[in-house]
Amino acid sequence: MTESLPIETPDLPAPETFTDAAAAVQHLQKLYAAAVDFLTGRFVGALKGGVPGLRYRAFYPEIRMTTTTHTLSDSRLSFGHVAQPGRYSTTITRPDLFANYLEQQLGLLLATQGASVQVGVSSTPIPLHFAVAGDPDLTVPQDGAMDFTLRDVFDTPDLSTTHDAIVNGEGFAFEDGSRPLAPFTAQRIDYSLSRLAHYTATDPAHFQNHVLFTNYQFYVEEFEVYARQVLADPKSGYTAFVGPGNRSIDTAEGVLEPAGKAPQMPAYHLKREGGQGITLVNIGVGPSNAKTATDHIAVLRPHAWLMVGHCAGLRNSQRLGDFVLAHAYLREDHVLDDDLPVWVPIPALAEIQVALEEAVAEVTELKGYELKRIMRTGTVATIDNRNWELRDQSGPVQRLSQSRAVALDMESATIAANGFRFRVPYGTLLCVSDKPLHGELKLPGMATDFYRTQVARHLLIGVRAMEAIREMPLERIHSRKLRSFEETAFL
């Protein structure tokens, strides 16, 4: 079969104009549902009916806006407005999943620009794989398993249109000349939603707005303990705890069934109304995992993400179990060098730093100068070689000393740098688990005692920090430090 086959599409209604964000989002949902229903229906029919004589195609919905004036927006806002007059657009996927986000972003844009938006059907086809992703009863067989070649009949994912050119600041514009309204295109989002479900074994719909990353299973166990405590308290506001395989409990006594085959990066979600709960992802060890996780979670536009894991303490004055609050990052992870050059500084974000420091003070009951007994602030170095100690010490040790680093790990700078790149507020609080430069290696006996005494309160500090961040207005959390000269209107 070839592209010359007749193409059948669903009805393509004319664009409609909206000045109300909620109504615009409802229309987006209607257009997207119609497109998905068309594709899934034709796919089921093709599986039953043999070789199709048509090519089937449906399109993502889109939002468009044109402004001809320089609108003086609130200078305190880092988002919700466009940089200059012109035409702007973005394709939209899963408007059901992103309904709150879309309504919020559109509402602010309509208020600041004093304009209307047009909602209609784009010219970007929806790949069949993404259209059926929300239907657990449908899967797309591999080529060769059907009587026809899938790409001859349906659109399939196209990596040439799945990229990070917008967030990487490459001056991206759509083929019609319009500038992007949002940091990700629909197909880029669909790609990440699919990867998230694969890597974490949970539906992206379960992810909450506040994400904790860790590099040890012990934190997962403590997170479940905390979840059961708050589920027992009807005043906590938490409603459910979801683990891999989308297994869920809504009471403290609930049994969280194992997911069977363990995913690469298991995610656990302590849910709250409006997505205002906390997600914990065990990314394991290494900057590659940290990049993979944040590359995909970024499309969900979380309000903040924090790293709470273990590190090597680099100063003799540190003790096992001490905390390190990162104020700067030395990037020797290399996984983001092509997307974010190493000369780009990764600034500390005041709101996140204060939330973390106050959480440490609350949990440890130490304040002011006394807090220095168990916590240091400073540079955290992230390296891509777990066994760096086995190499010639003169090189890495000299660089670590020159940078004034106080701790070394394999994930934190990657997570912070990708937060900076994706405009997601970020922070790091690590716990010293070994001191390799001072003869205190991480050995089994030491580790057992350390984990037993420190993991619980470290995890609680991360949770308390996120609960404090949750109470901040979104406009305050999203610092202008994360925005470049010309930014998308949407966060």
Side-chain angles (χ1 to χ4, degrees):
M1 294 187 180
T2 66
E3 185 71 31
S4 61
L5 281 175
I7 299 176
E8 181 183 349
T9 64
D11 292 336
L12 304 177
E16 295 188 24
T17 299
F18 294 90
T19 57
D20 178 77
V25 173
Q26 288 177 1
H27 193 57
L28 285 166
Q29 292 174 335
K30 177 182 176 181
L31 294 176
Y32 182 78
V36 168
D37 288 348
F38 172 84
L39 288 174
T40 54
R42 297 304 187 273
F43 178 58
V44 170
L47 291 178
K48 295 178 179 178
V51 180
L54 295 172
R55 182 176 180 85
Y56 303 112
R57 175 170 288 165
F59 303 91
Y60 288 110
E62 67 176 4
I63 301 170
R64 288 186 171 272
M65 187 193 76
T66 300
T67 177
T68 57
T69 60
H70 287 85
T71 303
L72 182 62
S73 60
D74 188 338
S75 63
R76 296 169 299 177
L77 289 176
S78 66
F79 61 96
H81 50 82
V82 296
Q84 58 185 313
R87 293 180 296 126
Y88 297 85
S89 68
T90 186
T91 49
I92 299 294
T93 189
R94 295 294 305 275
D96 56 331
L97 176 62
F98 291 98
N100 290 339
Y101 165 79
L102 289 170
E103 189 169 335
Q104 177 191 61
Q105 300 302 305
L106 278 173
L108 189 56
L109 180 65
L110 289 168
T112 59
Q113 298 299 141
S116 60
V117 295
Q118 292 76 46
V119 174
V121 176
S122 75
S123 59
T124 304
I126 302 177
L128 176 66
H129 298 73
F130 298 151
V132 306
D135 189 336
D137 298 323
L138 275 180
T139 56
V140 179
Q142 293 182 346
D143 275 340
M146 299 172 290
D147 295 332
F148 58 92
T149 301
L150 189 69
R151 286 175 293 176
D152 289 339
V153 180
F154 295 95
D155 291 289
T156 56
D158 181 2
L159 288 181
S160 68
T161 59
T162 306
H163 53 74
D164 283 331
I166 301 173
V167 290
N168 284 351
E170 298 175 9
F172 176 83
F174 294 103
E175 289 186 358
D176 65 359
S178 61
R179 298 186 181 95
L181 268 176
F184 299 103
T185 61
Q187 53 270 49
R188 169 65 170 85
I189 293 172
D190 270 336
Y191 170 76
S192 281
L193 295 181
S194 175
R195 294 291 82 202
L196 269 182
H198 171 72
Y199 285 122
T200 69
T202 54
D203 191 301
H206 292 306
F207 273 78
Q208 301 295 288
N209 286 329
H210 310 92
V211 183
L212 293 173
F213 296 105
T214 189
N215 49 13
Y216 279 97
Q217 179 65 22
F218 298 94
Y219 287 82
V220 172
E221 296 166 3
E222 290 299 330
F223 193 48
E224 182 174 344
V225 170
Y226 178 80
R228 292 181 183 277
Q229 291 174 352
V230 295
L231 287 177
D233 179 7
K235 296 181 181 180
S236 71
Y238 294 105
T239 58
F241 183 64
V242 180
N246 299 312
R247 270 66 168 185
S248 177
I249 60 173
D250 56 12
T251 66
E253 299 77 22
V255 177
L256 195 65
E257 298 290 341
K261 185 178 180 180
Q264 183 175 345
M265 301 179 194
Y268 301 81
H269 315 278
L270 181 54
K271 300 183 73 171
R272 193 179 178 97
E273 185 177 354
Q276 294 301 303
I278 301 170
T279 288
L280 176 72
V281 185
N282 181 5
I283 59 176
V285 177
S288 180
N289 281 1
K291 179 181 184 299
T292 297
T294 49
D295 277 350
H296 299 315
I297 292 174
V299 305
L300 297 174
R301 310 315 293 146
H303 293 176
W305 61 39
L306 306 177
M307 178 67 188
V308 286
H310 294 173
C311 67
L314 299 177
R315 303 302 179 93
N316 195 37
S317 58
Q318 291 171 303
R319 297 171 299 176
L320 300 187
D322 281 357
F323 296 113
V324 175
L325 176 60
H327 271 14
Y329 300 90
L330 173 62
R331 295 171 51 198
E332 295 202 351
D333 51 323
H334 301 302
V335 295
L336 281 168
D337 290 0
D338 292 336
D339 294 305
L340 193 71
V342 292
W343 51 260
V344 175
I346 309 299
L349 305 180
E351 294 79 8
I352 306 297
Q353 301 299 99
V354 170
L356 281 168
E357 183 168 340
E358 290 182 348
V360 175
E362 175 188 347
V363 173
T364 64
E365 299 182 345
L366 296 172
K367 295 183 179 180
Y369 191 65
E370 289 301 306
L371 198 58
K372 291 180 177 290
R373 293 183 183 275
I374 54 102
M375 186 181 78
R376 291 192 67 147
T377 59
T379 297
V380 169
T382 291
I383 199 166
D384 59 0
N385 178 11
R386 176 60 186 87
N387 299 314
W388 64 276
E389 304 99 324
L390 304 181
R391 296 181 61 85
D392 176 14
Q393 296 295 298
S394 60
V397 173
Q398 181 180 0
R399 292 196 302 276
L400 291 171
S401 179
Q402 287 177 322
S403 71
R404 313 305 196 262
V406 297
L408 178 77
D409 80 341
M410 297 190 69
E411 299 86 25
S412 292
T414 312
I415 289 170
N418 241 4
F420 181 86
R421 183 165 77 104
F422 291 130
R423 289 74 165 172
V424 176
Y426 51 84
T428 296
L429 183 75
L430 301 176
C431 198
V432 175
S433 60
D434 61 320
K435 295 168 58 181
L437 298 183
H438 308 284
E440 294 189 56
L441 302 179
K442 190 181 295 182
L443 300 174
M446 297 165 59
T448 300
D449 181 65
F450 164 72
Y451 295 141
R452 183 169 57 247
T453 58
Q454 287 300 96
V455 167
R457 69 174 184 169
H458 190 193
L459 185 279
L460 183 59
I461 289 168
V463 168
R464 289 285 182 261
M466 281 304 198
E467 290 176 336
I469 291 168
R470 182 178 66 215
E471 299 305 315
M472 299 179 190
L474 193 60
E475 294 83 357
R476 179 184 170 195
I477 301 170
H478 282 268
S479 170
R480 289 173 292 182
K481 288 193 288 290
L482 296 182
R483 313 292 277 182
S484 60
F485 295 163
E486 184 174 341
E487 283 285 339
T488 61
F490 291 6
L491 278 179

